[in-house]
Amino acid sequence: MSAALNLPWCISIFFVEFQAYFGQDYSRTAWIHSIVDCSTMLFAPFGSYVSNHFSCQVGIILGGLLASTGLVLSSFATSLEYLYLTLGVLTGLGFALCYSPAIAMVGKYFDKRKALAYGIAMSGSGIGTFILAPVVQMLIEQYSWQGALLILGGFVSNLCVCGALMRPINVQEDFTQYQLNQDQIHDESKNNSTHLMECSPISQECTSKSLCFCSKQEYSFILKPNFIILAVSFLFLAYGCSPPFVYLVPYALSVGVTHQEAAFLMSILGVIDIIGNITFGWLTDTRFLKKYRYTCYLIAVALDGLCCLFLPILRCFQLLVPFSISFGYFDGAYVALIPVVTGDVVGTSSLSSALGVVFFLHAVPYLVSPPIAGLLVDVTGNYTASFLISGFSMIFCALVLSFVKIIKKIKNKQLTLNVPTSDTRQEI
């Protein structure tokens, strides 16, 4: 399923085809990829809402239908503006309805080895990049970009099948909790007990007042200082990680790499992304590193940004292969830890809603970063400025979180020193 959800990253292979067919510059063509990513993240809270109030199955099946329809309609495009709507908005909305429920479902099944579980589940994205990149290039060569989009539309429709197989395991837990609320109804205030009954998934009644109450409970984590800081860091992370995926193939072609070799670079990136997902998830679940998962996340983000800083000096296929390996590994590493880090901040019960907000925060950076990078390419005539800004943005994300973590440690030490040891028993 995550292989199909990773299809937006393979749109970069269509970049040169769209640019040549419609005769547009880098900046205007890059808006296609930007709108896809932006729509996917912008509507992520809506995907969380559908999964919370209906079911993950309904959200994923509906998302698969929309994404497939968007790709099929895109094969009939006659202008970039048409692609903005079909390939950008419609397909992005479909992926948004699938993404948050699929990731949140993993957290409901696993607790002890959560990072490894997320790593394995999200490794499908790497498999998708590894397989789809050369397949998409082959489809373009055999059937043109129109035929390739039509075939991919049929492939993405399999998300409906994946959604039908989603089996939530919290039905019995919800029923037990509902019975407990019924037993305690005489001991609690009438207003609070009514809200609890209305918010239960078992209850069929739904009023505007109960929806307002439930929404406040679901998104109460937004005002937590830890989540606010994490949210700000995601803005810089999202801005930095998008341009390398969009412009890796065009950059490789500009330095003399063949089309097949450029697509192979995306394949390498994808398969190493799998290794990063699984191995980093496994390592951070070990007893030694489990309490340092936050630090491991910061290191992975910083090293991924460092890879982008070196990309402008890599001007042949032999040097771009090590970049794909290193960038793909650290990308898979920190992506596997995003749900874990978010869950540690907000708790498992609010993870689905929190992931919707996290992906929503990615929307604006994903929308503006590729066109800004394309504008810099049009102005400067090279990719150096674009990749440097991406690298520094990701490094700044890691520095912000590191700085906050250091401040918290200092404050905790000061609080510990200010408490007199002789009065500890008396205070307790």
Side-chain angles (χ1 to χ4, degrees):
M1 176 176 176
S2 50
L5 289 176
N6 197 55
L7 184 63
W9 295 119
C10 294
I11 293 178
S12 60
I13 300 176
F14 289 94
F15 189 95
V16 177
E17 302 295 329
F18 290 153
Q19 188 181 26
Y21 186 85
F22 296 108
Q24 300 293 337
D25 56 17
Y26 279 87
S27 181
R28 285 178 56 83
T29 309
W31 277 106
I32 299 173
H33 197 291
S34 298
I35 296 174
V36 174
D37 291 336
C38 178
S39 300
T40 302
M41 301 307 171
L42 187 65
F43 295 110
F46 180 64
S48 299
Y49 178 86
V50 172
S51 65
N52 289 338
H53 292 272
F54 295 95
S55 69
C56 293
Q57 293 172 315
V58 172
I60 295 174
I61 292 174
L62 180 60
L65 289 174
L66 291 176
S68 177
T69 302
L71 287 167
V72 171
L73 293 177
S74 298
S75 64
F76 301 99
T78 56
S79 66
L80 285 181
E81 290 75 16
Y82 183 97
L83 287 174
Y84 293 161
L85 180 61
T86 56
L87 188 57
V89 177
L90 190 58
T91 303
L93 175 59
F95 287 136
L97 290 173
C98 300
Y99 203 68
S100 297
I103 296 177
M105 183 67 73
V106 178
K108 295 181 180 181
Y109 276 86
F110 299 93
D111 185 30
K112 293 183 179 179
R113 298 287 183 179
K114 188 174 293 185
L116 178 60
Y118 278 119
I120 295 174
M122 301 180 73
S123 65
S125 298
I127 297 174
T129 305
F130 174 69
I131 297 176
L132 286 178
V135 169
V136 168
Q137 182 63 44
M138 181 187 68
L139 291 175
I140 293 174
E141 294 176 355
Q142 295 293 327
Y143 304 104
S144 76
W145 64 266
Q146 292 95 336
L149 288 175
L150 188 62
I151 295 172
L152 291 176
F155 170 72
V156 170
S157 64
N158 286 285
L159 287 173
C160 300
V161 180
C162 297
L165 297 176
M166 289 287 179
R167 305 297 299 177
I169 61 174
N170 61 344
V171 176
Q172 183 63 35
E173 296 175 3
D174 290 337
F175 183 73
T176 303
Q177 183 64 35
Y178 177 72
Q179 287 183 323
L180 291 175
N181 290 338
Q182 288 291 90
D183 294 337
Q184 297 173 357
I185 191 171
H186 298 292
D187 299 330
E188 298 178 353
S189 64
K190 183 177 180 181
N191 188 35
N192 289 336
S193 63
T194 301
H195 283 311
L196 287 172
M197 292 172 62
E198 289 176 345
C199 288
S200 174
I202 306 299
S203 177
Q204 299 297 323
E205 296 181 2
C206 183
T207 64
S208 59
K209 188 175 181 180
S210 66
L211 283 176
C212 181
F213 177 81
C214 295
S215 299
K216 288 181 180 179
Q217 295 297 318
E218 290 175 7
Y219 295 97
S220 59
F221 59 85
I222 292 179
L223 298 179
K224 291 182 178 180
N226 290 340
F227 183 79
I228 293 175
I229 295 169
L230 187 66
V232 172
S233 70
F234 282 138
L235 296 176
F236 293 96
L237 175 62
Y239 183 91
C241 69
S242 184
F245 281 97
V246 178
Y247 290 104
L248 177 59
V249 172
Y251 172 72
L253 295 175
S254 69
V255 296
V257 176
T258 64
H259 285 79
Q260 290 295 336
E261 289 176 337
F264 187 62
L265 289 174
M266 293 295 294
S267 297
I268 295 174
L269 194 152
V271 72
I272 299 300
D273 193 278
I274 303 170
I275 299 174
N277 284 143
I278 298 175
T279 59
F280 215 72
W282 174 76
L283 287 173
T284 52
D285 266 336
T286 58
R287 183 176 299 178
F288 177 72
L289 291 178
K290 191 169 185 177
K291 58 182 178 180
Y292 300 109
R293 289 189 298 198
Y294 190 84
T295 304
C296 292
Y297 168 77
L298 300 182
I299 294 174
V301 172
L303 291 177
D304 217 32
L306 190 63
C307 293
C308 293
L309 298 183
F310 285 100
L311 183 55
I313 63 175
L314 308 178
R315 304 188 63 82
C316 65
F317 178 74
Q318 291 76 13
L319 294 178
L320 287 172
V321 169
F323 166 80
S324 294
I325 294 173
S326 56
F327 183 82
Y329 182 83
F330 293 118
D331 179 78
Y334 80 75
V335 166
L337 290 181
I338 286 179
V340 179
V341 172
T342 305
D344 291 341
V345 172
V346 304
T348 305
S349 60
S350 301
L351 181 58
S352 179
S353 300
L355 287 176
V357 175
V358 167
F359 297 142
F360 176 82
L361 293 171
H362 284 62
V364 175
Y366 275 178
L367 178 66
V368 300
S369 59
I372 290 176
L375 181 62
L376 291 174
V377 173
D378 292 330
V379 172
T380 62
N382 57 65
Y383 294 83
T384 302
S386 301
F387 292 141
L388 289 180
I389 293 177
S390 295
F392 283 123
S393 180
M394 299 180 74
I395 293 173
F396 183 75
C397 164
L399 291 176
V400 169
L401 295 177
S402 302
F403 184 69
V404 172
K405 188 176 180 63
I406 292 172
I407 292 177
K408 286 183 179 179
K409 284 189 175 181
I410 295 174
K411 286 185 177 181
N412 290 334
K413 287 184 179 180
Q414 290 177 348
L415 291 174
T416 304
L417 294 174
N418 289 335
V419 177
T421 56
S422 59
D423 298 335
T424 303
R425 181 180 298 176
Q426 184 177 359
E427 290 180 3
I428 293 175

